[in-house]
Amino acid sequence: MGKAVLVDLTRCIGCRGCQVACKEWNGRAARKTSFHGEFTNPAALSSDCYTRIEFVETEKKGAPAWNFVKSQCLHCKDPACVSACPVGALTKSASGPVEYTFNKCIGCRYCMMACPFDIPKYEWSSAQPWVQKCSFCAERILDGMEPACIKTCPTGAMYYNEYDNVVSEARKRIAASAGKYVDHIYGLNEVGGTSWMYVSDVPFDKLGFKTNLPAFALPSLSWTMLSSLPVKVLGLVALLAVVAYTRNKENRKEGEA
């Protein structure tokens, strides 16, 4: 089943050490950013930001409180992005990560449309653009090391182990602390299951998680939808060609008159 991670949101202190470690390990460029009425920074994942901590304002026992949510690729067990890629640039490895091979990519961005979590990002400003996302530090895993973000976490908010052990740990924490956690492991069943899972003391919908996702894997749906796009595009081109021909024909008639 490969490696997996449990993110315990009750243990995250919002230090953003994982953001820094991820950017440093992957050699991603720094961008000038600014705050917009909250402490989350940057505002969203990007081609240079594979993981980030979102500061979510909640209320606990009638008082305002902070919750910190780490976001990155969830590395689905049966990834829609992999099934949508027509050239095999994305693959799901036996060790857990969903990996990207840039020299196979044709820039179609089907993976971006297929991903239920809106994770893959495109290098729009680059002259030679590629798709970018968290790689689960696949090269570190192969060398027997933890992913960079997990290695740097000072509070142990991320538990990294074999998939079955991670699921067991999540269930154990929920059962051992009655009332502390929401009785749900996010990522256990969503879209057929993911390699990154979460436990929380706040309902996931209040933290911005997508909670309307099906429990089955999405590849069959994603490819059915995406495979029809070329036909639709060709149909639109043909329609526009007919409109242009008709308009030019009428213009020629008016000019002759």
Side-chain angles (χ1 to χ4, degrees):
M1 190 66 73
K3 299 293 187 180
V5 179
L6 175 65
V7 183
D8 190 334
L9 297 179
T10 69
R11 300 186 181 187
C12 182
I13 58 174
C15 71
R16 290 189 277 225
C18 55
Q19 283 188 206
V20 176
C22 176
K23 188 176 284 287
E24 182 177 4
W25 178 259
N26 290 289
R28 305 313 298 165
R31 296 186 184 184
K32 184 176 182 180
T33 59
S34 58
F35 291 108
H36 298 279
E38 58 174 322
F39 289 110
T40 302
N41 196 25
L45 296 176
S46 70
S47 59
D48 284 321
C49 180
Y50 295 170
T51 188
R52 71 178 186 123
I53 298 296
E54 183 174 1
F55 285 55
V56 182
E57 294 184 49
T58 59
E59 185 176 299
K60 296 178 182 178
K61 297 180 180 180
W66 285 112
N67 280 86
F68 309 107
V69 180
K70 183 182 186 298
S71 58
Q72 74 293 305
C73 177
L74 275 73
H75 298 274
C76 301
K77 290 163 64 177
D78 190 1
C81 62
V82 171
S83 71
C85 181
V87 293
L90 286 158
T91 54
K92 174 70 173 181
S93 72
S95 56
V98 174
E99 299 184 65
Y100 171 72
T101 305
F102 73 90
N103 57 7
K104 290 184 178 181
C105 183
I106 58 174
C108 69
R109 301 186 291 280
Y110 277 10
C111 57
M112 296 172 64
M113 292 184 279
C115 178
F117 302 107
D118 303 318
I119 295 299
K121 304 300 178 186
Y122 200 59
E123 294 177 313
W124 296 104
S125 59
S126 173
Q128 295 181 312
W130 306 112
V131 171
Q132 297 287 349
K133 72 171 193 68
C134 159
S135 67
F136 202 167
C137 284
E139 69 284 2
R140 290 177 62 92
I141 290 178
L142 287 178
D143 285 340
M145 298 187 292
E146 294 178 325
C149 62
I150 297 172
K151 181 71 174 179
T152 198
C153 181
T155 61
M158 290 169 279
Y159 173 73
Y160 169 77
N161 210 312
E162 298 295 326
Y163 179 88
D164 290 340
N165 293 337
V166 169
V167 173
S168 296
E169 179 66 20
R171 288 173 172 159
K172 185 194 307 181
R173 292 188 190 186
I174 292 174
S177 302
K180 177 181 179 180
Y181 294 99
V182 174
D183 190 15
H184 181 69
I185 303 170
Y186 190 90
L188 179 61
N189 296 311
E190 281 77 7
V191 297
T194 61
S195 296
W196 281 68
M197 290 165 275
Y198 293 78
V199 290
S200 171
D201 58 343
V202 174
F204 288 101
D205 59 336
K206 293 184 178 180
L207 297 177
F209 285 79
K210 291 187 176 183
T211 55
N212 60 344
L213 298 173
F216 56 84
L218 300 180
S220 59
L221 296 180
S222 62
W223 183 243
T224 298
M225 178 192 73
L226 292 168
S227 62
S228 68
L229 288 180
V231 177
K232 293 177 180 178
V233 170
L234 288 174
L236 178 59
V237 170
L239 176 61
L240 293 174
V242 170
V243 171
Y245 174 78
T246 303
R247 181 179 298 170
N248 291 337
K249 186 176 181 180
E250 291 176 353
N251 289 338
R252 284 196 299 270
K253 286 182 179 181
E254 290 177 1
E256 292 173 356

